[in-house]
Amino acid sequence: MKRKRLVLLQVCLWGLLFISELWPAYSREIIGAHNHFTWHLAVHRFIIEAGYITIPITCFYCSYLFVAPQLFVTKKYLLALLYSIFTLCAIVALRYLLEYHFFLPVLGFDNYGGHPWPVDDYIENIFFYYFPRYYVYGLMYFFAESWYTNKHLKQELEKERSAAELAFLRSQLNPHFLFNTINDIYSLTYQKSEQAPEALLKLAELLRYMLREGNEAFMPLGAEARYLENVIELQRISAKGKAYINFDIEGIDGEQKVATLLFVSFVENAFKHGVLNDPATPVSIHLSASNHEIDFSVKNKKNRDQKDKTGGIGLYNVRRRLELMYPGKHKLDIIDGDEFYNINLVLQTNL
């Protein structure tokens, strides 16, 4: 809760307390004197109750600002006791000054009917009427505010930590694919291939997406699909037309959004560890969406000649991103068979 809202809340609470004290006292004064409404009487009672409301306000804020921090934060209990005594003395002095140096001489209001209290009765009344309630309210308010502030701070720190972790995880995207693509484009350029300009354009689109749009936490699913299409097309170009990849898309419109660069690691791992040059067993990539979920799957035949057993950014990074961005709203199934490797990811979008 912002500071302005806290101040407004306190003003409203004190305003309600003031009205709850003003109206009964004003009504009793009218009924007791058999009077009708007059502005003079209303202003007279308003000033008196406004003066009295300063006593609980003083007690509350002395407890809140001075006593509570010593009790709950610094743990200086002796200083808290001294501030408590100061608070009691302050409200006793304030009430005395109000009643005998303002209300009586200026307004002609005598709260004791011409019979002033002895000092001990005066202090006793204040101690049992004002002090216990508003002193404890100040302590309770400080404790509640500190609890809420700490909870909010922890949430903000957790968000910042999660954002930093997500940025780190996105930065771990497999650079080998880009390096290999650059080398392939260089080879095409050296050979003066007609595919070189197209490949360079695809690579530029990939880099733009990763460096600019890729900084966003979520992107439209259609943009993510186009990114995957560019990745696949570059793989086909680098394989000189000998990469057999099927990419099916269903149900994508302009409403769905997905975590940026979430799918590409699965695709890159399929290219790295799968068989691409067998038309009988192409790499199969499927992306479908509805109003409530996104389904993504990749299936590839294992490449037995692949000596590099590393898994790109690794399943840990992918799982961690899913935990951070889709907590309780995702299901990742991985089937590591003898011949084929399958992944199926379902995301709940709740649009």
Side-chain angles (χ1 to χ4, degrees):
M1 187 180 297
K2 295 182 179 180
R3 179 61 59 179
K4 291 182 179 179
R5 293 183 180 179
L6 287 173
V7 173
L8 180 60
L9 175 62
Q10 294 178 39
V11 170
C12 292
L13 291 176
W14 288 119
L16 290 173
L17 178 63
F18 174 70
I19 294 173
S20 68
E21 296 288 341
L22 173 63
W23 178 248
Y26 177 68
S27 300
R28 288 194 302 269
E29 192 166 342
I30 292 179
I31 296 173
H34 303 287
N35 291 330
H36 297 290
F37 172 84
T38 63
W39 282 109
H40 176 268
L41 187 60
V43 172
H44 182 268
R45 176 48 64 177
F46 181 90
I47 294 173
I48 292 172
E49 295 302 326
Y52 276 124
I53 198 68
T54 61
I55 299 173
I57 288 177
T58 301
C59 183
F60 176 89
Y61 284 106
C62 282
S63 173
Y64 167 66
L65 296 174
F66 301 108
V67 180
Q70 308 305 324
L71 282 177
F72 302 125
V73 180
T74 63
K75 308 296 182 182
K76 297 180 179 179
Y77 302 115
L78 179 59
L79 189 57
L81 177 60
L82 293 176
Y83 278 134
S84 300
I85 296 173
F86 167 80
T87 301
L88 178 61
C89 294
I91 60 178
V92 169
L94 178 60
R95 183 174 176 179
Y96 176 82
L97 291 173
L98 282 171
E99 292 184 335
Y100 290 106
H101 293 274
F102 181 68
F103 291 163
L104 185 59
V106 177
L107 302 178
F109 174 77
D110 185 1
N111 195 35
Y112 307 104
H115 303 284
W117 281 1
V119 176
D120 55 343
D121 289 344
Y122 196 79
I123 295 176
E124 181 181 353
N125 176 263
I126 292 177
F127 183 81
F128 286 104
Y129 180 73
Y130 287 110
F131 191 76
R133 288 192 296 170
Y134 298 103
Y135 177 85
V136 173
Y137 291 163
L139 297 180
M140 293 173 60
Y141 184 84
F142 180 88
F143 183 82
E145 183 184 59
S146 299
W147 175 84
Y148 178 85
T149 301
N150 290 334
K151 180 181 178 182
H152 184 70
L153 180 61
K154 288 180 180 179
Q155 291 175 342
E156 291 298 320
L157 291 175
E158 180 63 24
K159 287 181 181 179
E160 293 179 4
R161 187 192 67 80
S162 298
E165 185 173 358
L166 285 170
F168 172 77
L169 292 174
R170 282 200 297 266
S171 72
Q172 301 304 299
L173 291 174
N174 190 354
H176 299 294
F177 176 78
L178 292 176
F179 294 152
N180 292 336
T181 301
I182 292 174
N183 289 330
D184 292 335
I185 293 176
Y186 174 77
S187 298
L188 292 174
T189 304
Y190 186 78
Q191 297 169 9
K192 297 182 180 181
S193 171
E194 295 180 356
Q195 290 183 311
E198 180 185 358
L200 189 60
L201 180 61
K202 296 291 183 183
L203 179 60
E205 292 178 359
L206 288 181
L207 292 175
R208 183 192 64 188
Y209 187 83
M210 292 177 64
L211 298 178
R212 189 166 63 189
E213 285 85 349
N215 288 326
E216 298 293 331
F218 291 87
M219 286 294 291
L221 185 59
E224 192 75 8
R226 287 191 295 274
Y227 175 79
L228 293 179
E229 287 176 338
N230 286 333
V231 171
I232 293 170
E233 188 59 32
L234 279 176
Q235 182 64 39
R236 289 194 177 109
I237 292 174
S238 65
K240 300 177 177 60
K242 296 181 180 180
Y244 298 95
I245 306 165
N246 295 332
F247 185 27
D248 300 321
I249 301 175
E250 296 180 10
I252 294 180
D253 56 32
E255 298 296 326
Q256 307 105 333
K257 286 194 173 185
V258 68
T260 309
L261 302 174
L262 183 63
F263 302 136
V264 66
S265 54
F266 295 115
V267 174
E268 289 181 356
N269 287 341
F271 292 165
K272 186 175 183 180
H273 302 288
V275 175
L276 303 181
N277 58 1
D278 184 358
T281 57
V283 175
S284 178
I285 305 170
H286 180 79
L287 176 63
S288 63
S290 67
N291 289 335
H292 302 289
E293 69 178 30
I294 297 172
D295 191 293
F296 178 75
S297 63
V298 179
K299 179 180 179 181
N300 64 272
K301 185 178 180 180
K302 289 183 176 181
N303 188 349
R304 298 298 181 182
D305 298 328
Q306 174 61 258
K307 296 181 180 180
D308 186 357
K309 301 300 182 182
T310 60
I313 68 168
L315 282 178
Y316 171 79
N317 285 3
V318 179
R319 292 184 188 275
R320 185 58 182 152
R321 287 194 69 196
L322 290 170
E323 290 172 1
L324 290 171
M325 307 190 79
Y326 294 93
K329 295 183 178 182
H330 71 275
K331 182 181 180 183
L332 176 61
D333 292 324
I334 298 176
I335 302 175
D336 190 358
D338 294 334
E339 294 292 329
F340 291 90
Y341 190 85
N342 297 279
I343 73 100
N344 187 75
L345 175 62
V346 179
L347 304 174
Q348 298 177 16
T349 56
N350 298 323
L351 293 178

